[in-house]
Amino acid sequence: MDFLITPSAAKSGIVTVPGDKSISHRALMLGSIAEGTTEISGFLAGEDCLATLDAFLAMGVEIERQSATDLSVHGVGLNGLSAPAGQLDLGNSGTAMRLMTGLLAAQAFSTELIGDESLNGRPMTRIITPLTQMGAVVESDCDGTPPLQIRGGIKLHGIDYELPMASAQVKSCILLAGLYAEGRTTVTEPDVTRDHTERMLRTMGVSVETDGLRISLEPGQTLIGANIRVPADLSSATFVMLAAVLSEDADVLIENVGVNPTRRGVIDILTAMGADLTLENPRQFGDEPVADIRVRSSRLMGIEVDPALVSLAIDEFPALFVAAASADGETRFTGLKELRVKESDRIAAMSTGLRNLGIEVDEFEDGAVVSGGSFTGGTVESYGDHRIAMSLAVAGSVASGPVIVRDVDAVDTSFPGFAGLMKGLGLSINEDTT
Ligand code: S3P
């Protein structure tokens, strides 16, 4: 499927974007190994989280779906999972694969994890190295990519591990394995990354100690099922924020958005660029802070993006490249090395896409300088990456001519209904399946 986009603008209104992907994955995983029932509301019924759901069904967890977004997970306890009948297919989801490998490395049974073409190209050595130090046996392809064979029946031991890269997936993988290990497990991060795992473990009664960048837990603690209300996904809300900022006379309220301080770098970066954003009605959904985000049309200016904000906005750089392309002057992004190993090489994908729409981009190993200008019409590739597809679609709406974004099916992994929601907001983004 492609997106066909014609020049259009966001109008004022109130919108709700789907649930947070990271929190939805964790609610399924932790709910499955908890004692008792976990009621999840606001679940993201996107392909990535549905792959995780299917994997836990295959391991004997009873999960009832009252609706697409409300479900009950009947936890089987720390040691209650059973061997799946075959491979577990995690589709496009790096989060599912990396977190579940930590959990599965400690089970009594062996498992094999597979994924789609994009996931099969993503680095897994970053989890295999620490898990091996814990005693686990995890085999990958010779270049460290999936499929992964995880051997069961092994007793793990705790480690004190310094993460070589800022990654919430690797941190969470090690902490989940640590629940089953002998002795204490400690992870030290180079920079703060999203802490949804730590927060949800605490919600479920597990004591997780945080001392600056060091996070530790003791094994064998029982998780107790909880009610998890999933906030709307700030990463999805970013595309609405971008559309509103770039349109004339728009005033849009996005409701119930997760604004966890370890995730909200995009708000700080857009604000530094001159975006008119306000957080209204701040409150908590359990342990996660939430607010309604009000966004008004704004004139953006180019900035030097503080590399200290990168790990707090890691998924938002494709959209931020579009903001930079619409700003007055140059925007300099550095410290983005991790973007090269996401669902696509996002520095290359966005640099090529923006150039094809008439924007000057100077790309380098860990970032790019984007010169503000105006978008022309044209055809661009998503490289099968949901966030590239959605970022270029919003860019297309403010281009001087029609834009085609090719191969956009992956949008359903994180933002089912994206085109419809954007159309409701006034953007002419049409799905073309011919
Ligand atoms: C995620 C962590 C980030 C992020 C991904 C979701 C998570 O990945 O890019 O979309 O849910 O823990 P890394 O840990 O690889 O940075």
Side-chain angles (χ1 to χ4, degrees):
M1 186 170 71
D2 297 340
F3 282 148
L4 305 182
I5 305 125
T6 48
S8 44
K11 51 184 194 224
S12 300
I14 300 178
V15 298
T16 309
V17 299
D20 188 278
K21 182 152 73 74
S22 293
I23 297 175
S24 296
H25 277 299
R26 286 158 171 84
L28 285 172
M29 293 178 197
L30 299 186
S32 292
I33 58 165
E35 304 276 350
T37 301
T38 290
E39 305 285 357
I40 309 175
S41 59
F43 176 74
L44 170 63
E47 286 170 3
D48 275 12
C49 298
L50 294 174
T52 294
L53 191 152
D54 286 342
F56 282 94
L57 287 175
M59 290 189 284
V61 180
E62 202 190 310
I63 302 174
E64 286 172 79
R65 287 186 80 181
Q66 291 84 18
S67 71
T69 57
D70 293 289
L71 27 103
S72 308
V73 180
H74 298 286
V76 294
L78 267 185
N79 297 304
L81 296 174
S82 50
Q87 303 167 318
L88 298 175
D89 185 352
L90 302 176
N92 193 246
S93 180
T95 303
M97 188 166 284
R98 296 204 177 107
L99 270 63
M100 285 177 59
T101 301
L103 189 64
L104 294 173
Q107 302 302 316
F109 51 87
S110 298
T111 32
E112 184 176 12
L113 304 184
I114 60 169
D116 69 6
E117 200 188 322
S118 156
L119 185 53
N120 279 337
R122 296 186 65 189
M124 294 296 150
T125 310
R126 55 182 60 198
I127 54 168
I128 295 174
T129 301
L131 289 174
T132 305
Q133 287 181 22
M134 296 177 86
V137 180
V138 180
E139 280 164 29
S140 65
D141 268 7
C142 52
D143 59 351
T145 57
L148 297 182
Q149 265 86 31
I150 305 167
R151 193 177 306 162
I154 294 173
K155 186 69 201 160
L156 305 184
H157 48 84
I159 49 169
D160 187 336
Y161 191 72
E162 262 187 48
L163 285 177
M165 74 291 290
S167 167
Q169 292 179 355
V170 181
K171 168 179 68 174
S172 303
C173 164
I174 298 169
L175 291 176
L176 291 179
L179 286 173
Y180 293 85
E182 217 161 78
R184 188 178 177 82
T185 292
T186 299
V187 184
T188 307
E189 309 190 270
D191 289 304
V192 174
T193 66
R194 64 190 69 193
D195 64 356
H196 305 303
T197 303
E198 297 92 301
R199 284 177 193 248
M200 200 179 293
L201 281 170
R202 290 188 187 114
T203 300
M204 294 189 171
V206 173
S207 157
V208 182
E209 291 156 47
T210 302
D211 175 13
L213 295 168
R214 279 171 75 76
I215 303 123
S216 307
L217 56 73
E218 295 289 340
Q221 303 185 60
T222 302
L223 283 70
I224 299 157
N227 289 348
I228 305 287
R229 189 171 173 198
V230 181
D233 197 321
L234 177 60
S235 298
S236 299
T238 295
F239 302 109
V240 178
M241 294 196 271
L242 183 65
V245 163
L246 300 188
S247 300
E248 268 175 38
D249 299 325
D251 181 346
V252 177
L253 190 75
I254 317 168
E255 294 181 304
N256 302 333
V257 185
V259 289
N260 179 319
T262 63
R263 278 288 286 284
R264 46 169 283 171
V266 65
I267 295 172
D268 299 326
I269 296 170
L270 282 175
T271 302
M273 295 178 80
D276 183 353
L277 302 178
T278 47
L279 301 192
E280 300 184 350
N281 191 16
R283 59 208 185 275
Q284 294 285 129
F285 280 9
D287 281 336
E288 291 285 349
V290 166
D292 301 328
I293 302 182
R294 183 160 200 169
V295 200
R296 296 185 184 87
S297 313
S298 323
R299 182 158 189 150
L300 299 180
M301 59 203 171
I303 60 166
E304 187 140 337
V305 176
D306 182 356
L309 294 173
V310 168
S311 65
L312 311 179
I314 191 69
D315 288 336
E316 280 60 79
F317 285 95
L320 287 168
F321 272 42
V322 174
S326 316
D328 291 335
E330 282 183 359
T331 298
R332 187 177 177 80
F333 297 98
T334 53
L336 301 187
K337 204 165 133 251
E338 277 293 304
L339 261 67
R340 296 220 180 258
V341 290
K342 294 293 177 190
E343 286 84 327
S344 69
D345 175 343
R346 288 181 170 165
I347 303 179
M350 284 308 298
S351 299
T352 307
L354 291 180
R355 278 193 208 110
N356 285 346
L357 299 180
I359 301 294
E360 222 178 280
V361 184
D362 176 17
E363 176 188 346
F364 41 91
E365 188 46 36
D366 77 335
V369 174
V370 179
S371 301
S374 357
F375 299 111
T376 60
T379 297
V380 289
E381 296 292 331
S382 77
Y383 301 91
D385 182 330
H386 52 137
R387 299 201 200 282
I388 302 298
M390 292 186 275
S391 300
L392 292 173
V394 176
S397 70
V398 288
S400 58
V403 169
I404 297 174
V405 185
R406 287 173 40 80
D407 185 18
V408 300
D409 300 75
V411 165
D412 282 346
T413 60
S414 69
F415 198 156
F418 166 78
L421 187 143
M422 286 303 200
K423 268 178 125 168
L425 201 62
L427 266 59
S428 172
I429 298 177
N430 299 290
E431 294 174 341
D432 179 17
T433 46
T434 53

